[in-house]
Amino acid sequence: EQVNIASAWMGFGSMLGYLVGTILGVLELFVGIFACYCILAVVLTAGAVLTFLSNDAGQNMALYEKVKVAPSPPSMRTVNGLWHLFSDPFRCRNFLWVFVTRFLVMFGFNTVTAFLENYVRDSIPSPYVVFGIEIESYVLATALMMGIVLVGSVIAAFGSGFVANKIGRKPVVYIASGLMAGVILVYVFWVNYQWDLFLIVFFGIGYGSYISVDWALAA
């Protein structure tokens, strides 16, 4: 149960960071790229300082004493040792499947987000209309879609750990993956910006749920 909740908080933090980063990207149009990089530098520095100050070495040692110490890893000084260091985990069938499925999901998500601007520009006719409001720029239209994806991800990431406690981790992963795949299949056959905005909420919910529970599944 604690692993599920911890995984949910990790996913929530990741998705919230993505969301803030997207907002910052839109601000670049108004304040300039130099100001955006200054803001990023401040945020990264603050995160590093908070991590350093909140680290309790005594508590870490107490937890370490309670955990069974694993066998020493293979030596990294030899080619054979390096090979076993990276290949031994894949002898576990469960780890192999988690690795492969995570690779495929991350590959799919990053492909969608990387080429989302091209999709909006080349496949959806402009102007982009949302409830009667016209958006002339495909850049802003893409940013709106990404923002909605990440809002859905943040909401789902926060609640997915609690859902996993009720129905299990694997069902959450199955449902989340199905949501993402279903939305993309609809995009292949149907192009409408307003409906795309509605559907992409479910894509974000699927991704946020997956990324939160998947870490607990691996653990």
Side-chain angles (χ1 to χ4, degrees), residues 37 42 44 61 78 80 87 91 101 118-119 132 146 150 169 181 193 201:
Y37 274 112
V42 171
L44 291 172
M61 287 301 299
T78 64
N80 186 56
S87 64
R91 295 180 179 179
T101 55
N118 302 75
Y119 168 78
M146 277 301 302
L150 296 173
R169 300 165 190 169
Y193 184 72
V201 173

Side-chain angles (χ1 to χ4, degrees), residues 172-184:
V172 173
V173 170
Y174 298 152
I175 294 170
S177 301
L179 277 176
M180 289 186 284
V183 171
I184 298 305

Side-chain angles (χ1 to χ4, degrees), residues 109 112-117 119-120 124 141-154 156 179-180 182-184 186-187 190 192-208:
F109 177 80
V112 169
T113 54
F115 293 98
L116 186 60
E117 185 173 298
Y119 168 78
V120 173
I124 304 177
T142 304
L144 179 59
M145 291 187 75
M146 277 301 302
I148 291 175
V149 168
L150 296 173
V151 167
S153 298
V154 167
L179 277 176
M180 289 186 284
V183 171
I184 298 305
V186 173
Y187 276 15
W190 189 20
N192 179 285
Y193 184 72
Q194 186 164 297
W195 277 103
D196 284 352
L197 287 179
F198 172 74
L199 290 172
I200 210 165
V201 173
F202 296 97
F203 183 83
I205 291 173
Y207 181 72

